[in-house]
């Protein structure tokens, strides 16, 4: 009875499901796609994530974690299960399969963290993202990048500083550090 | 140092955590950091973000955001609607099965009953917790009502309390029994409520919430 009561709050009807999907569906899909590198598998993973969320709605406690964090925790498990299933599906020997059990979880966690950083970077303003991509990822000297953009070197450095601050905020909103 | 005077060091701090500060500037910054707590704190935060940067694949940054198929949201809504329907049907089936069992029990009771059992009235089970099956009947004695209960799916060792509610919702206790896991129990209880005043028999589970309700059929003398 209690679980039905909580379920009624957030996935109990089509409207509620659509609202949750509108808020988190795209991010979940991109994470699944990043992990599984297959459109169909990513779709399946998002469906399965919502299904498990609905079945275990009573476990969701907004005082402990945001819905996004909770859904991503479920999506992570779904992705791990699908990775394991994939590893097993093309008939392998036990020797081949066993070592994949632990690393599947590690790999999913690595992908989740990588995806979070990439998603956070994508959410930055174009100027902030450009500053980080050019100076950090492409390792171009500050003087060169500043000249190419047409701003003083000090302004570019300041822009990198604020880009890092904005990235931190975006990462926190994506549950960075809360997904264990 | 105030936060305002630290503004000039921000560019150096970010360059430092990204390994892009020249030796001379790095020495100046280190001197400054030695006695500036706000900049030390800022450095700690920036270092964490810089560490995160290493985890991204730069080829995937800033490109076109992959979008899920436009139909995915509706597919999920439809799938969950189906799941809800399945659960509802399962619950309905369980209530129907309980009703069938009740009819059988009444038929059997009618066949084998002693003459006094004509006054035994089967209750309509209106609510049963998941996994719980039960039949209940009552008999009027003038001084109150006696209850006959058979139930299975009870929690081992848990205390179940039985009440008779009158039409005003007032409860009279009818006693309690212990659940025995995996076996059907059969027991008889009594409450100080006359049958004509009794509306519902309620069994509360170990957490004090109702797990079973049986309605006394209307229109009895």
């Amino acid at each position: 009875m209690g679980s039905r009561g909580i379920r009624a709050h957030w996935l109990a009807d089509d409207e509620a499901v659509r609202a949750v999907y509108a808020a988190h569906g795209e991010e979940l899909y991109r994470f699944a796609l990043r992990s599984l590198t297959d459109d169909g598998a990513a779709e399946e993973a998002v469906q399965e994530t919502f299904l498990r969320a609905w079945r275990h709605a009573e476990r969701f406690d907004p005082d402990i974690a945001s819905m996004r964090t909770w859904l991503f925790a479920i999506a992570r498990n779904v992705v791990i299960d699908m990775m394991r299933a994939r590893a097993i599906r093309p008939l392998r020997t036990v020797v081949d399969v066993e070592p994949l059990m632990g690393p599947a979880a590690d790999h999913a966690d690595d992908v989740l963290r990588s995806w979070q950083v990439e998603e956070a970077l994508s959410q930055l303003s174009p100027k902030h993202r450009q500053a980080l991509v050019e100076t950090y990822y492409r390792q171009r000297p500050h003087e060169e990048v500043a000249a190419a953009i047409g701003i003083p070197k000090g302004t570019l450095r300041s822009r990198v500083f604020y880009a890092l601050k904005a990235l931190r905020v975006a990462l926190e909103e994506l549950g960075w550090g809360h997904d264990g | 140092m105030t936060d305002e005077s630290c503004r000039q060091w921000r560019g150096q701090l970010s360059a430092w955590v990204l390994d892009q500060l020249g030796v001379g500037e790095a020495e100046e910054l280190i001197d400054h950091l030695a006695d500036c707590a706000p900049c030390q704190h800022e450095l700690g935060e920036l270092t964490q973000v810089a560490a995160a940067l290493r985890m991204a694949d730069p080829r995937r940054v800033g490109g076109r955001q992959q979008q899920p198929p436009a139909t995915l949201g509706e597919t999920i809504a439809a799938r969950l609607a189906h799941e809800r329907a399945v659960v509802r049907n399962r619950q309905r089936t369980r209530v129907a099965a309980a009703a069938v069992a009740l009819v059988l029990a009444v038929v059997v009771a009618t066949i084998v009953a002693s003459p006094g059992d004509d006054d035994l009235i089967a209750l309509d089970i209106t609510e049963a917790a998941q996994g719980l099956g039960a039949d209940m009947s009552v008999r009027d004695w003038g001084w109150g009502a006696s209850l006959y209960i058979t139930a299975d799916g009870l929690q081992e060792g848990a205390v179940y309390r039985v009440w008779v509610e009158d039409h005003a919702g007032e409860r009279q206790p009818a006693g309690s029994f212990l659940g025995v896991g995996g076996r059907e129990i059969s027991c008889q209880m009594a409450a100080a409520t006359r049958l004509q005043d009794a509306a519902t028999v309620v069994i509360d589970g170990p957490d004090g919430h109702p797990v079973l309700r049986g309605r006394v059929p209307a229109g009895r003398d």
Side-chain angles (χ1 to χ4, degrees):
Chain A
M1 261 164 93
S3 66
R4 282 206 300 275
I6 291 169
R7 214 172 265 174
H9 288 300
W10 67 281
L11 281 178
D13 55 44
D14 291 353
E15 199 179 332
V17 174
R18 286 191 189 105
V20 175
Y21 178 82
H24 306 292
E26 284 189 18
E27 286 178 358
L28 288 165
Y29 175 79
R30 283 199 286 273
F31 163 60
L33 187 61
R34 174 79 164 79
S35 309
L36 300 164
T37 65
D38 177 270
D39 293 355
E43 273 186 63
E44 194 183 325
V46 179
Q47 283 193 42
E48 181 64 21
T49 298
F50 273 83
L51 193 59
R52 290 192 195 180
W54 177 75
R55 283 184 181 150
H56 303 294
E58 74 280 2
R59 296 184 194 165
F60 172 61
D61 184 348
D63 293 336
I64 294 173
S66 70
M67 185 177 292
R68 190 207 306 247
T69 302
W70 193 63
L71 285 170
F72 270 98
I74 296 172
R76 170 190 172 274
N77 290 337
V78 170
V79 163
I80 290 169
D81 289 348
M82 289 177 73
M83 283 177 173
R84 286 175 177 166
R86 263 186 190 177
I88 292 165
R89 212 172 286 141
L91 201 62
R92 288 168 184 243
T93 65
V94 172
V95 177
D96 286 335
V97 171
E98 285 300 321
L100 290 169
M101 293 307 183
D106 294 342
H107 178 58
D109 285 338
D110 288 347
V111 171
L112 178 58
R113 289 174 202 285
S114 299
W115 172 83
Q116 282 174 322
V117 181
E118 290 154 17
E119 188 79 10
L121 281 164
S122 298
Q123 288 175 14
L124 295 182
S125 71
K127 282 183 178 176
H128 282 166
R129 190 165 57 243
Q130 179 194 38
L132 289 177
V133 168
E134 296 298 331
T135 62
Y136 179 72
Y137 290 113
R138 297 194 177 147
Q139 288 289 303
R140 292 174 69 190
H142 284 186
E143 292 79 3
E144 185 185 314
V145 176
I149 299 174
I151 55 173
K153 188 175 93 173
T155 305
L156 175 68
R157 280 188 172 176
S158 179
R159 193 173 286 177
V160 171
F161 171 84
Y162 285 107
L164 289 173
K165 300 288 276 185
L167 185 67
R168 181 185 174 87
V169 172
L171 281 170
E172 282 173 352
E173 286 176 357
L174 284 164
W176 180 262
H178 295 287
D179 46 75
Chain B
M1 288 285 174
T2 64
D3 283 357
E4 194 54 38
S5 67
C6 291
R7 287 173 73 95
Q8 60 177 304
W9 294 100
R10 288 175 173 172
Q12 277 95 321
L13 282 171
S14 57
W16 169 266
V17 298
L18 298 177
D19 293 328
Q20 291 160 342
L21 205 59
V23 176
E25 284 182 304
E27 285 174 354
E28 282 176 24
L29 179 62
I30 289 167
D31 285 345
H32 170 72
L33 282 169
D35 58 358
C36 180
C39 281
Q40 287 172 20
H41 177 75
E42 197 76 85
L43 180 67
E45 286 196 355
L46 291 173
T47 302
Q48 288 176 6
V49 187
L53 277 178
R54 279 193 283 278
M55 305 202 71
D57 179 347
R59 291 167 302 176
R60 296 176 186 272
V61 175
R64 192 177 60 83
Q65 290 274 59
Q66 297 266 154
Q67 297 295 318
T71 54
L72 183 57
E74 283 307 305
T75 306
I76 288 169
R79 186 163 172 192
L80 291 196
H82 169 72
E83 292 291 329
R84 285 194 299 273
V86 168
V87 169
R88 270 199 304 272
N89 281 348
R90 219 175 277 150
Q91 286 166 345
R92 250 184 241 132
T93 307
R94 204 163 287 133
V95 171
V100 168
L102 191 61
V103 169
L104 285 174
V106 171
V107 170
V108 171
T110 306
I111 293 168
V112 302
S114 61
D117 286 338
D118 288 346
D119 294 322
L120 209 56
I121 301 162
L123 304 191
D124 301 322
I125 305 295
T126 55
E127 181 184 323
Q130 200 168 10
L132 187 64
D135 293 323
M136 294 196 286
S137 52
V138 292
R139 176 193 271 169
D140 191 27
W141 289 100
W143 47 260
S146 54
L147 315 175
Y148 304 88
I149 300 168
T150 57
D152 60 15
L154 299 164
Q155 193 181 318
E156 173 77 44
V159 176
Y160 292 83
R161 297 184 193 285
V162 186
W163 308 84
V164 176
E165 280 182 0
D166 66 17
H167 296 285
E170 279 286 326
R171 281 183 161 197
Q172 284 294 337
S176 59
F177 59 85
L178 281 175
V180 284
R183 286 208 333 262
E184 185 181 81
I185 63 112
S186 182
C187 58
Q188 186 177 339
M189 318 216 139
T193 304
R194 297 179 62 167
L195 190 58
Q196 66 202 46
D197 300 320
T200 313
V201 175
V202 181
I203 300 181
D204 284 349
D207 62 357
H209 293 106
V211 293
L212 194 81
R213 279 180 192 278
R215 190 179 57 221
V216 179
R220 308 289 308 189
D221 291 329

